[in-house]
Structures are given as C-alpha cells and as structure tokens.
Amino acid sequence: MTLLDHGPAEDLLNNAPTDHAKLLSWVTEVAELTTPDSIHWVTGDDNERTQLTDELVNAGTLVRLTKKRDSFYAASDPDDVARVENRTYICSVDEKDAGPTNNWMAPAKMKATMSELFRGSMTGRTMYVIPFVMGHIDAAQPMFGVEITDSPYVVLSMLVMARSGTSVLKAITATGADFVECLHSVGAPLQDGETDVAWPCNTTKYISHFPEERSIWSFGSGYGGNALLGKKCYSLRIASAIARDEGWLAEHMLILKLTNPAGESKFIAAAFPSACGKTNLAMIEPTIPGWKAEMLGDDIAWMRFGPDGQLYAVNPEFGLFGVAPGTGWSTNPNAMRAIEVGGNVFTNVALTDDGDVWWEGMTDETPSHLTDWKGNDWTPESETPAAHPNSRFCTPIENAPIVAPEWNNPNGVPISAILFGGRRKTTMPLVTETLGWAHGVFMGATLSSETTAAATGQVGVVRRDPMAMLPFIGYDAGNYFQHWLDVGQRDGAKLPKIFYVNWFRRDENNKFLWPGFGENSRVLKWIVERLDNATDAVETPIGLVPADGALDIDGLDMSEEQVRKAVAVDVEEWNAELDDIANWFDYIGDTLPQELWEQRDQLRNRLGLT
Ligand code: GTP
Ligand code: SPV
Ligand code: MN
C-alpha cells in the first residue's frame, strides 16, 4: 500500500496542523510502518480530555472515580507493572559508549528488529501524535519532543506529566525547532472485529535509545517510564548524553526550597534511587517550628551553570508520578492534598466499594472490603497486597499546595546543596557532609541501595546505583563520573556542597533508627546550617557528621545515644564496603577516573586500614 491510498496517511497530508517538514515526514513514515486506522494530533484541550476519558472508560481501561474530581483508576496487565531494565537498551554506534551498565545492541540491528515489531502494530488503533516540551517552553533552549503512541492511556498521562499539546506544536512549527522522536506502541494490533482488552501490551518488550540521533523507540509496554517517553527515556537517558556534550547535568533528583525561621531561603537537589524517598522529601512538611519547605520537582533535575557560576536547576516535568503505597496523611500529607484537587490517573492501586482509591499506608484503618489491583475481592485477611508495590498516582504538580513560586521559572533556581542517598540497613550514616566536590562525586559514584519494586526483578538486594542513575545513564558510566568531576573543575564554578543521607538504617532488632518523613526536616536543618558553618560537625573517616547536640531532636522521642547510633561509622562495615567498591570500580573498567580510585585509597587511609 502506498501512502496516498492509505486513509490515515492521506488524511495526515491534508489535515496536519503543522508544516514542519521533519515532523511531517516522520509521522508519515511511522503511519506507513504501523498502519493505524486514524491519526490524532493531541491538542491538550478540555474536549479532547473528555473524549479520551470517555473512550477509555467505555473500553474498560479506566474506571471513573466518584469520590475524586475528574479522576480515574486503571489496572495494568499483571505482567506490565514496572520499568523493565533488562529490556532497556542504549543503542550507541560504538558498544563502548554504552558502557558496562547498559544493555547494548547496534542501532541498525535494533532498528531492523524493532521495525518488524512495529510493522502493522497500530492496526485497528488510533495513532496519537503528542508534541511536548521538557522544561519551560520559554527556556533559552527549549527541549522539544514528539511522542507517537497508540495508547490513549499514555496520552492522558503525558498530558499530566509534560507540557504538551497545541501550544507546543505551534512553537515547534514557528521556529522550525528540532525535537526528540519518541516512538511508542503497546504492540497489540487489532484485527477486524477483534475486541480490545483493558490493558493491551505485548510479552516482547524493548525500550531502546539512540543517543547519537537522539531518538527513542519503545515497544510492548504501556506502563510508566517504559511508555511515558518524556520522563526517564528523554529527560534522563537521552538528556544525560546531551548534557555531557554541552557541559550540564541531567539527574534523577528532586528540587526543594527551604526557608529558615529568619526567612532566608536555599534550594537543594537530592538523588535517591527509585522508590527511595524523592517524592516524599520533595513534599516534606517540616516538623520543626519556623522552617518552611516548598517543592519544585520530585524526580528529575536539569542543572546548568548560570553566569554567576552557580548551578541552576529546573524540573523538566509537569506532573508527579508518585509511588502510592506508603503515601498517607501521616507520611506525606501534601501528596494527599494534591490528590484531593483532582485530575488524577491512578494505576494498580485498589478500588473502594464507594468509587475511591486505597493503598497500603494511606490510612490507619484498612477498609473491610476492596477490589485489589488484579480485580479480585480483597479483605484485610487477604494474603497479597491490595495495591501493587509499584502502584502510582499521576497528578499535576500544580495541585500540590506547597509548590514553590519559582517552580515554573524557565531559568531554574540556584542549588546550594546536593544530597545523595539510598536504602541501606547498615553502614551509611543518617547524614554525612562530604569533604569537597571530588569526594562528593566519589560518594555519589558508589551510592548503594536495596532494590525496590520500581523495576522488575528481585527486591531488597543491595546494588550500586551511582547518583541514583544506574538505570538512566545514557552512556558509559566511567565517562559519566568523569563528566561529574569535570563539572567541578569549571572556571569560576560556585559549586553546591555534597551530602550523603540514609533514612533507612536499622538497629539490631531491624527497626528503623530514624523516624523519617517529616522528621527528615531536622537533617535538612543541619545541612542548611552547615552551608553557612552555623552548626557543628565532627570529622569521621568518611566525612563530617553532626556533632553531639548539633542535630535538632527537640520534641522527638529519641535519645542522643540513638542519634549517635544513627550517625556512627563502623570500621568493620566500611572495610567490607571498600572491597565491594573496588569490585564496582573494576566492573566499570578502564574509563573509571583514576581520581575515584585515589578517593578510595584516601578513604582507606582515613579508616586506618592497610
Ligand atoms: P520514584 O518515583 O520511583 O523515583 O520513587 P521516589 O524516590 O520518589 O520514592 P517515594 O518518595 O515515592 O518513596 C518510596 C517509598 O519509600 C514509599 O513507600 C515511602 O513511604 C517510603 N519512604 C519515603 N521516605 C521515607 C523515609 O524517610 N523513611 C522511611 N522509612 N520510608 C520512606
Ligand atoms: C522511577 O522508577 O524512578 C520512577 C517511575 O520515577 S518511572 O516513571 O516508571 O520510571
Ligand atoms: Mn524516579
């Protein structure tokens, strides 16, 4: 079939709302390959939302909630619940450029393989074209993308997660701007008369990135970071490669504004692995009097140097895609308030009998009856969780009552501190101030955490997750560490101080040593005061920790003795850690910067180990 005798493609040429040549030829090419029944250019207006959600409700993909304004519930296929790291590829021309931490396939081979999967894959479906911009449309260098997808659920989610629709298409068209091509199909063509399932997907999945040509091909999954391609695929994997070339940082970090009782504000960024507390810290409600926290972002930060030599961070996203379980009025009241505003898509949580959502940790009392995420009856006696551990709420960021006024600033905010952290039962103190940029990069490069349900695979296994970017670095990890070190060498740079935190350390009875959540404001207070040398720290071999009495535990049911345990440095544990770090560095191989080996040697000396 040629382009002109195929309905949608002909329609496309006649009715496209743009004359952008590259965009038109790409959309045409994809339509010819995937043979959708029709093509829809996503506008982002209210009528479109009504039409999309009505369609999705009729198809059984969405349930309209009666208890929350303009909000919907979706349950995915039980085999499509999280990012699939083992199916995620960096297809650089040279295998070396993907490095040891990424799956690799030659771009031509991947494209040949995936073209066969995409061939006819949108048959019986609508092909949606979503123009979007990551970051602000008025940024000095707006970062455009266009996602083509055959999933209306993805369209609905993208409209929450990224600035999308007609205004973006107009900007791309008017300026002739380039954009990242993001091609997505659930891989479930519908033959004539075939009825659709509620969550179409394919057992074959590929999430492929072509860093040189800055494009993304995703097939087979409809879930989260596998399918909302502006998020991890563009804003981290592709953007990290752009950032390396252009001298900036694209990172898996929240952005937070903190104001002390004197009214002085500081901005911080923090990198924790998936499901390790970014959304919670970004939305923190401080428990200490007089301190105020406001959110700018909960997952991704792009940081560029400003003319004054400071690193300025923007959140490229427009929504929150937060882990539902554990989010409740006592742990994250600001997330609960944001959800109450409406405009949500919930995925894989549980449904209450009166048309609301529920998940473990939302309320103290468990409802007596629910429909679990698999559609089964559920009671408190049930042996499986009502909500999948990686179930999510997808909510406009502006719903949050604590969004900082600067959050929409195209130039971002100056970052004074960077926090790295992970989920470790042992070894890592509650908080450590690093000894300078290179030592901070060492602590980031050796970040370790227990695996979570945010990715498929075993949960609770300690792995290295450098800068919380292990699944997201779009190039060779050793070169990525070198890039971080180079950022620190930039002429005139006024660098943030780097800290390392661990909310998840446990005592000998396996109980958390630190209460976490809102109480983390006490740690933030110490960090902010350290920026001005306004509080005391003591040196340990691994960095500076709060001096006795320096961490504000006023009003907390915790002794100084317990604090000492939470910040203790155990030489035996660090001896084992150093061996593991050596293995990790060996695994990274030749490109691991010598400076990081030297940092390890210095740490060994400070620990008195020979
Ligand atoms: P991604 O969206 O996957 O990147 O996750 P995230 O880093 O934003 O993690 P999130 O804030 O959603 O937290 C994940 C889980 O950790 C939730 O179940 C939280 O309840 C729990 N959690 C967050 N902060 C703390 C804390 O300070 N202490 C403890 N014990 N648990 C926490
Ligand atoms: C993460 O896994 O870090 C997430 C969820 O934020 S996803 O969008 O699926 O990547
Ligand atoms: Mn994340």
Side-chain angles (χ1 to χ4, degrees), residues 232 252 274 278 299:
K232 297 300 164 45
H252 193 199
S274 302
K278 287 181 303 302
D299 200 48

Side-chain angles (χ1 to χ4, degrees), residues 83 231-232 252 272-275 278 298-300 392 472:
R83 285 184 294 98
K231 198 171 173 51
K232 297 300 164 45
H252 193 199
F272 311 148
S274 302
K278 287 181 303 302
D298 80 319
D299 200 48
I300 300 177
R392 301 255 168 183
F472 310 123

Side-chain angles (χ1 to χ4, degrees), residues 433-443 485 495-499 543-544 599:
E433 178 184 329
T434 67
L435 305 171
W437 187 261
H439 179 234
V441 172
F442 170 80
M443 292 296 278
L485 291 168
L495 299 167
K497 265 192 180 179
I498 300 178
F499 296 80
L544 303 162
Q599 283 289 337

Side-chain angles (χ1 to χ4, degrees), residues 143-157:
M143 302 290 276
F144 293 113
V146 178
E147 177 159 351
I148 293 181
T149 179
D150 53 8
S151 164
Y153 163 90
V154 164
V155 175
L156 196 64
S157 307

Side-chain angles (χ1 to χ4, degrees), residues 214-292:
R214 315 234 194 271
S215 66
I216 301 155
W217 288 18
S218 166
F219 181 90
S221 168
Y223 198 80
N226 297 332
L228 314 178
L229 302 186
K231 198 171 173 51
K232 297 300 164 45
C233 299
Y234 182 155
S235 293
L236 290 179
R237 299 195 189 96
I238 295 293
S240 64
I242 300 175
R244 167 204 56 195
D245 296 346
E246 297 180 353
W248 51 280
L249 294 167
E251 299 297 328
H252 193 199
M253 292 181 181
L254 65 92
I255 312 168
L256 180 62
K257 178 182 182 183
L258 293 166
T259 306
N260 71 10
E264 295 151 356
S265 298
K266 293 263 177 3
F267 297 94
I268 70 166
F272 311 148
S274 302
C276 290
K278 287 181 303 302
T279 301
N280 277 269
L281 192 66
M283 303 185 88
I284 190 171
E285 192 163 72
T287 51
I288 32 175
W291 283 76
K292 185 172 169 189

